[in-house]
């Protein structure tokens, strides 16, 4: 029997509803309707995303790993941490096979709970995921359907799986100003290649170009679309031990490189839209870097 290119898992066995897209050359991606969280992306048969073995996949809390969606608030604030989009059930709108790959589109609208929150606006998020043999594109169109202007921050909290954090480099950030949330200082990046050796939580602002996650003989390039900032995060041993949904030693096999607009806000007038996203591409590490 041929493998289905698009499989919808309805959760009849008690698991959460999700969609699996299967593309060319061993590529695939899995998306939970809970949070529209991508929990797997395989390219050339290799898993590219990290999900903690202790992650909750039962809808009791946001998934620790994959690509959770942060909206309408990054970090702590008046709303729960990172807002409500990552803990709401989204609607699968459609799936489409095209020449080079497969697309799935999801949608999230306001409900009674969000209207009663500290961010009480009407909105629609249109989320498009496009899988090809070597790429994963994730784009959100934010739409203001309210009668009032609103502002928000948003981010795609991508967890990359790496063989060894000590041998992993992040490039493309030299000269970029960043906010170090651990040391509570603002600095400018001096390194061509960043190697994480401790708890890091940095917000790089107004990033000009492509950022690369390099490991072994491969890299994943991260190309932003209308997002201004990049967050670099690894909890290291001390913070990992404090998280119930993260293994004590799992920090050795992951790094978060997260695209978003979080140091400033996106503002939409009634009826206005804005589209932002990222393109992840698997490439040889020795190839030309953009």
């Amino acid at each position: 029997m041929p493998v289905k290119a698009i499989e919808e898992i309805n959760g009849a066995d008690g698991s959460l509803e999700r969609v699996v897209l299967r593309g060319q050359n061993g590529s695939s991606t899995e998306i939970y309707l809970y949070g529209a969280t991508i929990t797997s992306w395989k390219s050339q048969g290799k898993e590219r995303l990290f999900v903690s073995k202790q992650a909750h996949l039962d809808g009791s809390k946001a998934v620790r790993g994959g690509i959770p969606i942060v909206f309408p608030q990054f970090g702590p604030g008046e709303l729960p941490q990172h807002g409500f989009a990552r803990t709401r059930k989204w609607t699968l709108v459609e799936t489409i096979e095209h020449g080079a790959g497969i697309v799935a589109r999801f949608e999230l609208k306001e409900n009674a709970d969000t209207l009663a929150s500290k961010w009480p606006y009407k909105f629609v998020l249109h989320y498009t995921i496009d899988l090809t043999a070597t790429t994963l594109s994730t784009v959100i169109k934010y739409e203001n359907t309210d009668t009032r202007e609103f502002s928000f921050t948003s981010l795609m909290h991508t967890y990359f799986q790496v063989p060894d954090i000590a041998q992993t480099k992040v490039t493309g950030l030299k000269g970029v100003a960043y906010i170090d949330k651990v040391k509570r200082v603002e600095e400018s990046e001096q390194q061509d290649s960043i190697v994480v050796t401790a708890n890091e939580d940095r917000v790089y602002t107004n990033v000009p170009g492509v950022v690369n996650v390099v490991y072994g003989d491969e890299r994943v390039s991260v190309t932003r679309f209308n997002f201004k900032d990049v967050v670099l995060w690894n909890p290291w041993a001390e913070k990992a031990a404090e998280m119930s949904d993260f293994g004590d030693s799992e920090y050795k096999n992951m790094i978060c490189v997260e695209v978003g607009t979080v140091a400033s806000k996106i503002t939409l007038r009634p009826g206005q839209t804005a589209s932002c996203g990222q393109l992840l591409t698997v490439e040889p590490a020795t190839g030309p870097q953009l």
Side-chain angles (χ1 to χ4, degrees):
M1 178 180 293
V3 175
K4 291 182 179 179
I6 301 165
E7 181 181 5
E8 296 182 36
I9 301 171
N10 61 18
D13 59 356
S15 63
L16 293 179
E17 296 172 80
R18 55 200 187 276
V19 179
V20 179
L21 309 180
R22 296 185 178 90
Q24 301 172 357
N25 301 336
S27 64
S28 67
T29 188
E30 177 182 69
I31 312 104
Y32 277 68
L33 268 60
Y34 178 76
T37 302
I38 298 174
T39 54
S40 174
W41 169 41
K42 293 179 181 176
S43 178
Q44 301 167 12
K46 184 185 296 185
E47 181 60 63
R48 306 295 173 170
L49 298 180
F50 166 87
V51 175
S52 172
K53 293 182 174 62
Q54 297 176 204
H56 295 258
L57 298 175
D58 59 0
S60 62
K61 66 181 300 184
V63 177
R64 177 66 70 185
I67 311 180
I69 295 170
V70 172
F71 172 90
Q73 171 191 289
F74 171 69
E78 292 185 322
L79 298 172
Q81 174 86 357
H82 289 332
F84 50 68
R86 64 183 187 149
T87 56
R88 299 288 171 184
K89 183 179 178 182
W90 293 54
T91 299
L92 175 64
V93 177
E94 63 179 350
T95 53
I96 302 170
E97 294 184 59
H98 60 84
I102 312 169
V103 170
R105 293 192 173 97
F106 300 84
E107 186 177 88
L108 181 70
K109 298 181 179 180
E110 79 285 341
N111 62 16
D113 289 339
T114 66
L115 290 172
S117 75
K118 295 291 186 178
W119 198 84
Y121 302 103
K122 294 181 179 179
F123 68 91
V124 184
L125 301 186
H126 309 269
Y127 188 29
T128 301
I129 298 168
D130 192 342
L131 172 75
T132 74
T134 58
T135 67
L136 183 69
S137 168
T138 63
V139 177
I140 298 177
K141 182 172 78 172
Y142 306 87
E143 181 179 3
N144 182 347
T145 56
D146 207 289
T147 58
R148 300 163 292 172
E149 179 179 277
F150 62 60
S151 298
F152 60 93
T153 50
S154 187
L155 172 138
M156 295 176 175
H157 199 309
T158 307
Y159 291 72
F160 290 101
Q161 180 164 290
V162 298
D164 181 359
I165 190 64
Q167 302 298 320
T168 300
K169 298 181 293 184
V170 177
T171 66
L173 292 169
K174 185 176 182 180
V176 179
Y178 68 89
I179 303 162
D180 190 320
K181 296 170 69 177
V182 176
K183 297 178 181 177
R184 299 183 180 181
V185 296
E186 296 185 21
E187 299 185 6
S188 179
E189 183 56 63
Q190 303 300 311
Q191 303 298 319
D192 289 311
S193 298
I194 302 164
V195 178
V196 174
T197 59
N199 174 25
E200 294 288 3
D201 190 357
R202 302 179 180 182
V203 180
Y204 289 85
T205 58
N206 297 309
V207 177
V210 175
V211 177
N212 301 284
V213 181
V214 185
Y215 50 87
D217 59 356
E218 294 179 307
R219 71 168 181 257
V220 180
S221 67
V222 182
T223 304
R224 287 163 300 105
F225 172 58
N226 287 340
F227 278 135
K228 294 181 178 180
D229 309 319
V230 171
V231 174
L232 177 68
W233 181 72
N234 182 294
W236 215 250
E238 62 271 27
K239 291 295 182 182
E242 296 174 4
M243 294 186 286
S244 62
D245 58 350
F246 193 97
D248 288 356
S249 62
E250 287 185 322
Y251 71 91
K252 298 175 183 179
N253 299 112
M254 56 75 63
I255 190 166
C256 285
V257 177
E258 315 159 25
V259 302
T261 295
V262 296
S264 58
K265 292 186 177 182
I266 298 170
T267 299
L268 296 179
R269 299 184 301 274
Q272 191 176 13
T273 65
S275 294
C276 305
Q278 66 180 350
L279 175 66
L280 308 178
T281 306
V282 176
E283 302 171 312
T286 54
Q289 296 190 19
L290 299 177

